[in-house]
Structures are given as C-alpha cells and as structure tokens.
Amino acid sequence: RKLGFAIVGLGKFATQQMMPAFKDCKHANITALVSGSPDKAKKLAAEYGVDPKNIYNYQNFDSIKDNPAVDVVYIVLPPSMHMEYTLRAAKAGKHVLTEKPMATSVEDCQKMIDACNKAGKKLMVAYRAQFEPFNLDAISRIKKGELGKLRQITADHGRIVKPTEEPAEAWRVVKKLAGGGSLMDIGVYSLNAARYLTGEEPTEVTAQEFSDKSDPRFKEVEDTIHFTLRFPSGVLASCTSSYSIQEVKRYRVFGDKAFLDLDPATDYYEHNMTIGTKEGDMKVSLKEGNQFAAELDHMAECVLENKTPKTPGEEGLKDIRIIMAIYEAARTGKKVKL
Ligand code: NAD
C-alpha cells in the first residue's frame, strides 16, 4: 500500500529533488500540497496528479485533519517553521517527516518530539545521507573493521551562499528563519556524518568562527566555522562549514589500517569513494541509489509497520544540541562538554 504525503512548502528542494523522487517510491505517494502560492500549487498538482481539492494554504492547513488521503506531512519550510508545522500536523493526527536542520532550538526540537508522542504519531528527520548507498557502505566497512582502529575524521561542507541571486537562499542569511548560518544548513552534514561514521556521541567540542561582518550576507548569521568533536573511543573529528568557499561536501575517515575518502560524500548524485591502504588507493564502485526515495519509503514503512524511524526526532535533537554547544564554544573560545 502507498501512503499519502502532503508536501508543505513548494520551494527549490521540494520541487527539484523530493517531489520527482516519489516516482521511485514503493510506499509513498503525493496526495496533497500546502503552499502560499495557489498558482504554483495548482500547476504542480496537475503535474503530479494531485486532486485540486487537496491543495491547502498556511491558513487552512489544520483542516487537513479531515483528509484521509493524507497520512504523512512532509515539512520542507525554512527551519524556524518546522516546529509550528510539526505541532499542527500532529494535532491534525498526521505523521511527520521534517527537513533538516530539525529546528532552530533544542526547546523546539523537544516540543516536536513531545507533540508527536502525545498524538501517537511518527516523527522523522529527513537525513537523506543516512539512506544513501555510499554512506551506508562507509558505515558498514567501518563496522567490519576494514579501516582498523578509527583515529580521526575530517569532514568539510561549503558553498557560496547567494541570497540576492537565488530566491531559495534569501532565508538562509536571516537568523530568525534559519536559526544560524552555514553550520545549521550544511555544517550539520559534517556533524551528522561524524556521528553516524563513529556510531558514537561526542563528549566535548571546541570551535572557531570567522565571518566578515562588512559582508551584508553575514550581518546576522555565521559564515565559516571550524569545530572539533571528541568521541569516547578517542576519535577526533575535525569539521568545517562555510558559506564562502567553492562547493565541497566530503569526508575522510582515518584508521590505523586504512582511510576511507568520500568526495563528494553528501551530494544528491555521483558519490566517489576511495579506500587507501599501504598497498595503495582503491576506487570503490557502487550502484548509485535514489536516497530521496529510500528516505520517503522508510518513513512510509515505519508508519505501515509501526516501527521507529532510523532518524527519529531524537536524532535531530542530538545534532541541534551539539550545534548549540559548537556556537557556545566559538563564542567563548572554551571547550564545551556535552
Ligand atoms: P526554499 O526557499 O526554496 O523553500 C522554502 C519554501 O518555504 C518556499 O516554498 C517558501 O515559499 C516557503 N515559505 C513559507 N513561508 C516562508 C517564509 N516565511 N520565509 C521563507 N520561505 C517561506 O528553500 P529550500 O532550499 O527548498 O529549503 C527548504 C527546507 O529544505 C529547509 O529546511 C532546508 O534546510 C531543507 N533542505 C534540505 C536539503 C537536503 O538535502 N535534505 C537540501 C536543501 C534544503
């Protein structure tokens, strides 16, 4: 059976990546759209075969509770809005899939978890990399001990943010909507990867930030931030995130037997893995998979089989808590214990 998904927010990521991925889903189908722009919603409804009766706006969204065609609400709005729409969706009796970062404060994440628990509904954070075949392969190689004892991880995420040229970037430099700068938006991939690659939770963080305050893009949010995570096994993860460097989405995991390099690591397509040992470097070829469809199907399967999602609200909360510690470490120049 296919579950019905309502897409909330018909912006760049929803329309260019996620909506097209439903065609590859076994258990997920688009049955409703929520948008502030009726013309855009009508056009997309026609394209995706969504009944025009199932188009909502932000004002009448709560009436979705009366629509049995909707099982899951998928929130693809700016981060500060994730909390409100999760609470409204849970109140309407719907399961929730929300985009990353989960929210802009620890308190908001907790409210989202509590609301879905209270309503008896699933809550999942859309960490697509945890459904992507190269990342899954990296995790499995590390677990099998192929790299030996892990010592160090470096993870870098960066791109040039262009708020005046790209409509989808405007909210990214507004603190009230984004919650922060590059760390919230893309540094979260470095952080999340360090956690899923080690399978551990960091115990302390240090950080440094650089933002050119004369650059209008960085009046409210940070540009570049470097942070180090210390894990219980002794692994140190050195991570960066930046809004002013050419695009990078990579990590390298160093063990005492081998390193594993994934570059790009968290792109939409075309990942590139190398394993390096003392015998030399080996390219790993794997079939690319549709991580977006895998993520949507996982959400649907969790509802259908009453399972806890692999990336539940608690997973999103953990990252936001660490992000807040990274900001504190950067602000104070001191190590922050977690
Ligand atoms: P976007 O600006 O293209 O989309 C945001 C949508 O929210 C737009 O349709 C906009 O009209 C709507 N919106 C409603 N109220 C708004 C308000 N007050 N201010 C601004 N927009 C408002 O941005 P996007 O890049 O599609 O990002 C949307 C979400 O998806 C964010 O949470 C982002 O972090 C996430 N995202 C995830 C990935 C990923 O790979 N998982 C990639 C890109 C974006």
Side-chain angles (χ1 to χ4, degrees):
R1 172 163 105 85
K2 284 198 174 185
L3 292 189
F5 281 58
I7 315 292
V8 187
L10 306 176
K12 187 175 175 188
F13 186 63
T15 58
Q16 295 188 8
Q17 306 302 332
M18 295 308 290
M19 291 173 68
F22 277 86
K23 70 172 185 328
D24 292 331
C25 288
K26 288 196 203 79
H27 304 296
N29 198 16
I30 305 174
T31 51
L33 301 175
V34 184
S35 172
S37 156
D39 290 343
K40 182 164 62 174
K42 246 183 249 160
K43 197 166 155 270
L44 285 162
E47 196 181 326
Y48 284 91
V50 173
D51 187 334
K53 281 205 308 284
N54 296 348
I55 296 177
Y56 296 85
N57 57 44
Y58 299 112
Q59 287 71 44
N60 69 13
F61 168 71
D62 307 279
S63 62
I64 209 161
K65 73 174 191 305
D66 302 318
N67 193 337
V70 175
D71 302 287
V72 177
V73 165
Y74 172 35
I75 303 166
V76 210
L77 295 166
S80 70
M81 301 174 77
H82 296 176
M83 188 273 284
E84 177 190 339
Y85 282 85
T86 298
L87 265 54
R88 289 170 72 179
K91 205 167 168 210
K94 306 299 178 187
H95 302 279
V96 177
L97 173 63
T98 184
E99 262 310 324
K100 50 53 62 181
M102 181 173 172
T104 53
S105 71
V106 166
E107 294 72 26
D108 281 6
C109 294
Q110 194 59 56
K111 279 188 201 160
M112 293 159 80
I113 293 170
D114 293 346
C116 291
N117 280 343
K118 190 171 161 218
K121 298 291 153 188
K122 306 287 176 202
L123 171 61
M124 170 167 155
V125 182
Y127 282 120
R128 58 179 173 76
Q130 295 201 42
F131 298 88
E132 191 285 315
F134 282 84
N135 283 273
L136 295 175
D137 189 56
I139 295 168
S140 139
R141 286 172 189 272
I142 291 167
K143 269 201 190 131
K144 279 192 243 154
E146 216 176 289
L147 310 187
K149 182 147 180 49
L150 291 200
R151 293 292 186 206
Q152 190 181 309
I153 295 174
T154 57
D156 304 302
H157 283 83
R159 62 189 181 82
I160 310 275
V161 77
K162 296 176 183 151
T164 49
E165 289 164 45
E166 262 275 350
E169 310 259 278
W171 61 261
R172 285 180 160 85
V173 296
V174 179
K175 180 132 197 255
K176 204 162 85 70
L177 289 165
S182 72
L183 177 58
M184 276 278 182
D185 189 35
I186 52 178
V188 68
Y189 288 105
S190 294
L191 166 61
N192 197 248
R195 291 182 45 247
Y196 62 70
L197 293 167
T198 55
E200 294 181 64
E201 294 305 327
T203 54
E204 59 184 48
V205 301
T206 56
Q208 294 198 68
E209 185 215 312
F210 177 76
S211 308
D212 176 359
K213 289 292 168 197
S214 70
D215 184 327
R217 296 175 299 170
F218 307 121
K219 287 247 174 318
E220 297 188 13
V221 301
E222 82 282 357
D223 171 13
T224 300
I225 192 153
H226 287 203
F227 55 98
T228 307
L229 308 167
R230 178 186 288 277
F231 288 93
S233 62
V235 174
L236 293 173
S238 171
C239 306
T240 64
S241 107
S242 176
Y243 265 163
S244 63
I245 58 172
Q246 280 306 328
E247 188 159 293
V248 57
K249 307 175 168 183
R250 68 169 186 194
Y251 57 67
R252 186 178 275 217
V253 189
F254 300 85
D256 59 7
K257 278 205 234 153
F259 72 75
L260 182 153
D261 188 88
L262 198 53
D263 184 5
T266 56
D267 215 335
Y268 297 159
Y269 312 97
E270 291 178 12
H271 299 82
N272 191 6
M273 190 189 285
T274 307
I275 309 272
T277 63
K278 63 178 188 312
E279 276 79 46
D281 292 359
M282 176 188 83
K283 282 250 173 283
V284 176
S285 56
L286 266 186
K287 197 169 168 285
E288 290 281 345
N290 188 330
Q291 58 188 312
F292 312 111
E295 172 188 274
L296 293 164
D297 267 340
H298 177 77
M299 176 75 205
E301 280 160 14
C302 287
V303 173
L304 288 166
E305 297 164 24
N306 193 21
K307 288 190 307 199
T308 303
K310 181 178 168 185
T311 54
E314 287 76 5
E315 170 77 356
L317 168 65
K318 280 179 189 159
D319 278 345
I320 297 299
R321 187 170 277 140
I322 300 165
I323 283 176
M324 295 307 158
I326 294 168
Y327 283 137
E328 186 188 335
R331 201 172 50 243
T332 60
K334 293 201 174 111
K335 198 187 287 176
V336 176
K337 297 242 181 246
L338 292 158

